[in-house]
Every structure is written in C-alpha cells, then in structure tokens.
Amino acid sequence: MARLSCSPAPRNWPAWTGLALGLLAAPLAHAQTCQATSQAQAPAVVELYTSQGCSSCPPADRWLSTLKGQSQVIALSFHVNYWNHLGWKDPYATPETTDRQRRIQAALQGKYVYTPQVVLNGQDHRNWQGQSAAQLPRLAGAQAPKLRVTRNGDTLVAHVDASAGHATLAGYWAVLHDGLSQQVTRGENAGERLLNDHVVQLYRTIGPWSASAPHDATLTLPADAGQRVVFVVTDSSWTQPLQAVALQCS
C-alpha cells in the first residue's frame, strides 16, 4: 500500500488550505492496492450449497467454517432460495447463486438439487463430514492456467494467462463475507442462531473467451463489499474449476 506523507504548509498559506489538502488525501488513504498470484499447485475449490431454511444444513455450514485460513482450499458458500417457502427467507440467498447449483446439476446429470450439497473441484462430494483441509484433493495442476488478481481501490482485475490445454476458458467472481450471525425466527431452524462463513455476497460470471490469448476480467466492488474476493477460472460451462485465487487486502 502506498505510504502518504504530509509536510507543514508554508506560513503564508491560508488556514483552510491545510484542511482542503487533508480532505483530498483522505480518500487516497483508504484506497487499497494489493495482489495475489496463483501458486504452482492449484487449490481445492469447495462449493457448499446451503440454506438457512434447511434443518440439515447447519452441520455443513460449521464444517465449511473449519476451512477458514487454509491456503490450499478456497471455500464458497452459495445460499439457495428454494427453501424460502418454508417460512424463513434466507437473507443471503440470491437467484444467481441458486441458478449456479442448477447449472452444476445439469453438468453432473443429477436428478435433483439438494442441500446441503458439497461440490469439490466440480464433482459432487458426499463424504465431507469430518474431513480436514489437508484431506481435500487439489485441482489438477496440469490444467491450471496462471492467474493474477489485483485490487486498486474498488477495482479488481483478474489476469488469466493463455492456456495451451484448453480451447476456451471462462470464470466467475465471488465476493465473500465471513462471520455472519443470524437469529432465525421461523421455518425448520426456528430459534437457532446460525453462523455463516465464506458466504457469496456477489456472484458474477465472465466469458467464455479464447484460451489461446491472455484475458483480463474486471470487477467494480459494491459499496458493501465483503472481506474477501475470489476469482475462479473454469471451463466454458462455468462448472469445472481449473484455477482459483483469493484476495484479501489488509
């Protein structure tokens, strides 16, 4: 992050000049510049499809929270909205995150969608209970293009290198929130206080594009952006992850 320094104003400057300079510098002081680059070994990508209206989901939510701070895993919690009719409207569910699960269902030729569903590296993963981050296999390194994510203020750029192993690539942005607490008053979890981490606040697909040339994807963060931002490079269907980077400016 750039370091700002100030010097005293000359004695013949009006008193308000220093105040004006301070006001101009304030936005710069809060601008964030940072960068994250993919490693030689791509991480595991864990997608949890969950709902606060589903009584069997809290154990899966708690398991996903154990993956916080694990650099070899990128965890994402996609809240779906099809349980909202049971009396509790999940405040984190969106049509976009629900549509993603249905896209996954079609890609895997599943008969139905369900919660909690864990998708590991693009495949349905039902043996997640009790697994640690070290037990989750990472993405195949041979298929992982190089990826760099840079933040400058509220603008993010994901730079994806060309990839000889694919004809087309695509990707998606996920803006994440951690430490969300919600008292549920109706539905299957009535009376429970639920804690959620890795919650996808914003989900936006990018592409597809030709993998024969580098590609840049840009995102402007909303005013209430979460603590972390993830970019996932996928195949052209947006369902099979190939590479992923998480960025959190300090």
Side-chain angles (χ1 to χ4, degrees):
M1 185 180 296
R3 180 174 297 176
L4 297 174
S5 60
C6 298
S7 300
R11 292 182 180 179
N12 59 343
W13 283 18
W16 54 264
T17 307
L19 175 60
L21 289 173
L23 292 175
L24 288 172
L28 294 176
H30 289 88
Q32 298 189 72
T33 302
C34 57
Q35 180 176 283
T37 304
S38 58
Q39 303 300 309
Q41 177 69 61
V45 175
V46 178
E47 305 172 47
L48 170 63
Y49 293 90
T50 185
S51 171
Q52 290 191 347
C54 154
S55 61
S56 58
C57 286
D61 296 328
R62 290 191 291 270
W63 172 75
L64 201 72
S65 292
T66 68
L67 304 180
K68 287 175 65 177
Q70 304 295 320
S71 61
Q72 70 270 40
V73 177
I74 289 182
L76 305 112
S77 180
F78 290 95
H79 285 238
V80 299
N81 61 16
Y82 48 80
W83 295 123
N84 287 357
H85 69 280
L86 295 180
W88 177 255
K89 184 177 180 180
D90 190 322
Y92 313 131
T94 69
E96 292 79 13
T97 51
T98 306
D99 287 346
R100 174 162 182 80
Q101 189 186 25
R102 297 194 185 281
R103 184 181 290 273
I104 293 284
Q105 175 199 1
L108 299 180
Q109 300 182 342
K111 294 182 179 179
Y112 49 83
V113 293
Y114 69 96
T115 56
Q117 181 186 18
V118 173
V119 178
L120 172 62
N121 299 334
Q123 302 299 313
D124 197 38
H125 183 67
R126 295 177 181 261
N127 298 320
W128 51 267
Q129 294 95 332
Q131 285 194 319
S132 67
Q135 293 174 304
L136 299 173
R138 297 190 182 193
L139 290 167
Q143 296 182 339
K146 292 182 179 179
L147 168 64
R148 182 178 69 252
V149 179
T150 304
R151 177 173 180 176
N152 189 355
D154 291 333
T155 301
L156 290 120
V157 178
H159 177 82
V160 186
D161 281 2
S163 175
H166 304 86
T168 57
L169 295 172
Y172 65 85
W173 290 102
V175 180
L176 308 184
H177 268 299
D178 292 316
L180 297 177
S181 176
Q182 181 72 52
Q183 182 69 42
V184 178
T185 59
R186 296 181 301 278
E188 291 189 352
N189 290 315
E192 298 291 330
R193 176 166 290 279
L194 302 181
L195 301 176
N196 294 110
D197 293 306
H198 314 287
V199 176
V200 177
Q201 170 202 6
L202 181 149
Y203 167 71
R204 182 171 300 170
T205 57
I206 302 292
W209 66 84
S210 172
S212 62
H215 184 80
D216 286 347
T218 303
L219 175 70
T220 300
L221 289 173
D224 58 344
Q227 299 112 322
R228 290 182 292 124
V229 180
V230 169
F231 190 82
V232 182
V233 182
T234 70
D235 65 357
S236 58
S237 72
W238 295 284
T239 61
Q240 178 59 54
L242 304 171
Q243 180 64 274
V245 162
L247 179 65
Q248 180 170 2
C249 291
S250 58

